[in-house]
Amino acid sequence: MMRAAKTNTEIRQGQIAQAALKLIARHGFHHLSVAAVANEVGIVPSNIYRHYQSKDQVLDGVLELVSERLLGNVAAARAEAPNSLGRLHCLLMRHAQLVQNDVPIPRVVFSEEIFTGHKPRRRRVLRIFQQYLEHIAELIREGQCVGEIRKELSPDTLSMMFLGLVQPAAILWLMSEGEHDLTQQVQSAWNIYCQMIQSEVRTKEAASSSTTRRGKPSRRFHLQPT
Amino acid sequence: MMRAAKTNTEIRQGQIAQAALKLIARHGFHHLSVAAVANEVGIVPSNIYRHYQSKDQVLDGVLELVSERLLGNVAAARAEAPNSLGRLHCLLMRHAQLVQNDVPIPRVVFSEEIFTGHKPRRRRVLRIFQQYLEHIAELIREGQCVGEIRKELSPDTLSMMFLGLVQPAAILWLMSEGEHDLTQQVQSAWNIYCQMIQSEVRTKEAASSSTTRRGKPSRRFHLQPT
DNA sequence: TGTACATCAGTGAACGCGCGTTCACTGATGTAC
DNA sequence: TGTACATCAGTGAACGCGCGTTCACTGATGTAC
């Protein structure tokens, strides 16, 4: 066996967390072994302990990555779309992509290790979850301020429902190994959700608002196939 | 140690599955050990193998129980409420109760053991999930037939969104150890969902339909706190 | 009703395996002189 | 520029623990005669 190149701990920590995330994405959280991570990085298992104190700390590193990606998507969605509904739509699709291609967040968030693992980590995931929800609620509030989104609906409830547009579909997708088309299912759900939350354009007050409902209804409504 | 009373295999299989479900509900899926199950039943670990061939088969027994409860709720909701919206509401609240009191289904369905465990079991859970979705879609279709629910919305998408009313809240509830009030959050989401899917009562054609929207809007709408 | 035997559930000890972690040692890199 | 030494990352062997599973044995229950 060739000896691995000597590498700075800071860099190795990053490599190890990335490798762990990749393996979790592929084989699931609790199949993650220190040996597998080491192998992925190209070092020997015991060497992990030069850079992390324990497996637990590696997992903390993974959570950090997941948090960054989730919150990064919020920032990206803000930058990509000009209005609230567009941003929400963008965030939703990015979230679906994240689940599908890159990081099966469900594997992390729904994992047993999280629910039943030691408390500090559970609190941490809870916090990430809540932060994410809060960002979504903020997007919704902004939409309500400018009149895009109906003001009588609670942003907190709407943000929870927003996540509900992806989660069941994501689980189904995970379990069916790609038999279900996640993106399309999420899109269908979004169409209905969007139509529901946007301010009515029929009423006289907001007849020509910024929403696209009137212009191209066929893209907002999910038309029944048959 | 007192010797356990000799008991019929059929009965013991039931006891074992029940005990396993109870322990999963309390401590999570992958913390389930054969020893713990045996202890809960009041027998010795090795005795489990008189009644099941392996731990895997015990887990299959647990899935059977979960399936029964989920589908049982559908039947109960059908019996309890006269119309489709009422049945959906009833089913939703029963589902939330199931998660909260009895069987944390998330612990089973979202478990790593399911996603990454051996294929036959994953297929089985997928099937249970799909059956449940299909029953919900059927309730929705019935509602569309009698004009309670808007006909242009896809039952398949609506059923997925229906599950989305509980799932994020359930996960939050699990992680926060009851800090969040699951029932109330689900109720809020339902109010919005219900308002969205029910047929418009404003329009002339269905002015006096069977929905309760006009009569008591404050119970259907979630009013913003501030 | 009583006896002999087959069947079947219950038990404790032990095995085997995976896996996280420790430890003593190796060898490369950077720094002081 | 060259030498000596400290520092730190890499390695393989081994330990320890939990846990699913096996096995030989025990003892209770039901049945045939």
Side-chain angles (χ1 to χ4, degrees):
Chain A
M1 211 53 181
M2 216 189 67
R3 197 184 176 100
K6 199 172 177 178
T7 309
N8 186 5
T9 276
E10 207 172 332
I11 294 175
R12 272 282 134 94
Q13 281 183 339
Q15 292 176 344
I16 290 169
Q18 292 279 357
L21 182 57
K22 184 174 171 185
L23 288 172
I24 290 170
R26 206 183 302 152
H27 302 115
F29 206 92
H30 100 273
H31 278 113
L32 187 75
S33 70
V34 172
V37 175
N39 187 55
E40 179 76 22
V41 175
I43 57 181
V44 108
S46 57
N47 193 12
I48 297 277
Y49 293 85
R50 290 265 170 252
H51 310 290
Y52 284 98
Q53 282 180 29
S54 64
K55 188 186 180 184
D56 259 7
Q57 306 229 351
V58 174
L59 297 183
D60 284 343
V62 172
L63 283 190
E64 188 57 33
L65 285 179
V66 171
S67 173
E68 282 168 15
R69 308 235 180 156
L70 285 175
L71 301 184
N73 271 355
V74 175
R78 278 211 130 81
E80 279 183 35
N83 60 349
S84 292
L85 285 175
R87 285 170 179 167
L88 285 169
H89 183 230
C90 177
L91 178 59
L92 190 70
M93 295 329 263
R94 277 180 165 271
H95 190 111
Q97 285 298 316
L98 199 60
V99 170
Q100 209 166 164
N101 303 333
D102 207 17
V103 190
I105 305 160
R107 291 252 164 107
V108 177
V109 174
F110 303 163
S111 159
E112 277 298 315
E113 309 279 347
I114 296 304
F115 290 143
T116 64
H118 64 282
K119 196 160 174 176
R121 181 152 55 244
R122 192 170 358 126
R123 302 304 295 183
R124 177 116 184 266
V125 175
L126 175 60
R127 212 176 133 52
I128 294 173
F129 203 117
Q130 286 172 328
Q131 283 180 333
Y132 194 51
L133 274 173
E134 186 43 47
H135 276 100
I136 297 168
E138 182 55 29
L139 280 176
I140 292 171
R141 258 182 243 111
E142 291 167 11
Q144 291 179 322
C145 276
V146 300
E148 274 183 85
I149 297 173
R150 294 168 58 181
K151 294 190 169 125
E152 74 271 23
L153 303 176
S154 155
D156 291 336
T157 303
L158 285 186
S159 61
M160 200 80 95
M161 291 175 77
F162 180 84
L163 285 189
L165 301 179
V166 212
Q167 280 195 6
I171 289 169
L172 211 57
W173 179 81
L174 260 177
M175 279 197 301
S176 71
E177 291 166 311
E179 265 174 45
H180 291 76
D181 184 343
L182 178 57
T183 305
Q184 195 215 301
Q185 288 192 344
V186 169
Q187 180 64 53
S188 299
W190 166 257
N191 288 342
I192 296 178
Y193 179 82
C194 175
Q195 173 207 335
M196 159 189 90
I197 70 169
Q198 67 187 331
S199 301
E200 299 283 350
V201 290
R202 280 187 209 144
T203 59
K204 292 152 205 159
E205 308 88 273
S208 54
S209 83
S210 62
T211 68
T212 57
R213 182 174 178 182
R214 164 161 287 182
K216 22 184 176 173
S218 64
R219 288 186 53 199
R220 292 291 181 192
F221 282 78
H222 183 101
L223 297 175
Q224 210 154 342
T226 315
Chain B
M1 209 53 181
M2 217 189 67
R3 199 184 176 98
K6 199 171 176 178
T7 308
N8 186 3
T9 276
E10 206 172 334
I11 293 175
R12 273 280 135 95
Q13 281 183 338
Q15 292 176 344
I16 290 168
Q18 292 277 356
L21 182 57
K22 184 175 171 185
L23 289 173
I24 290 171
R26 205 183 304 153
H27 301 115
F29 206 92
H30 98 273
H31 278 114
L32 188 76
S33 70
V34 172
V37 175
N39 187 54
E40 179 76 23
V41 175
I43 57 181
V44 107
S46 57
N47 194 12
I48 297 277
Y49 294 84
R50 290 264 171 254
H51 310 291
Y52 285 98
Q53 283 180 28
S54 65
K55 188 186 181 184
D56 258 7
Q57 306 230 351
V58 175
L59 297 184
D60 284 343
V62 172
L63 283 190
E64 187 58 33
L65 285 180
V66 171
S67 172
E68 282 169 13
R69 308 234 181 155
L70 284 175
L71 301 183
N73 271 354
V74 175
R78 278 212 129 82
E80 278 182 35
N83 60 348
S84 291
L85 284 175
R87 285 168 179 169
L88 285 169
H89 183 231
C90 177
L91 179 58
L92 189 70
M93 296 328 266
R94 277 180 164 271
H95 190 111
Q97 285 298 315
L98 199 59
V99 170
Q100 208 166 166
N101 303 333
D102 205 17
V103 191
I105 305 160
R107 291 251 164 109
V108 177
V109 174
F110 304 163
S111 160
E112 277 299 314
E113 310 279 347
I114 296 306
F115 290 143
T116 64
H118 63 282
K119 197 160 172 174
R121 182 152 56 242
R122 189 167 2 124
R123 302 304 295 183
R124 178 116 182 266
V125 176
L126 176 61
R127 212 176 133 53
I128 294 173
F129 203 117
Q130 287 173 328
Q131 282 180 334
Y132 194 51
L133 272 173
E134 186 43 46
H135 276 100
I136 297 168
E138 183 56 29
L139 280 176
I140 292 171
R141 256 182 243 109
E142 291 167 11
Q144 290 178 323
C145 276
V146 300
E148 273 183 86
I149 297 174
R150 295 167 59 181
K151 295 192 168 118
E152 73 271 23
L153 303 176
S154 154
D156 292 335
T157 302
L158 285 187
S159 61
M160 200 79 95
M161 291 175 77
F162 180 85
L163 285 190
L165 300 180
V166 212
Q167 282 196 6
I171 289 169
L172 211 56
W173 178 82
L174 259 178
M175 280 199 299
S176 72
E177 291 168 310
E179 266 173 43
H180 292 76
D181 184 343
L182 179 56
T183 306
Q184 195 215 302
Q185 288 192 342
V186 169
Q187 180 64 52
S188 299
W190 166 257
N191 288 342
I192 296 179
Y193 179 82
C194 176
Q195 172 206 337
M196 160 188 89
I197 69 169
Q198 67 187 329
S199 301
E200 298 284 348
V201 290
R202 280 187 210 147
T203 58
K204 293 149 203 162
E205 308 90 272
S208 54
S209 83
S210 62
T211 69
T212 58
R213 180 174 179 184
R214 163 158 288 182
K216 22 184 174 172
S218 63
R219 287 186 53 198
R220 290 291 182 193
F221 282 79
H222 182 100
L223 297 177
Q224 209 155 342
T226 316

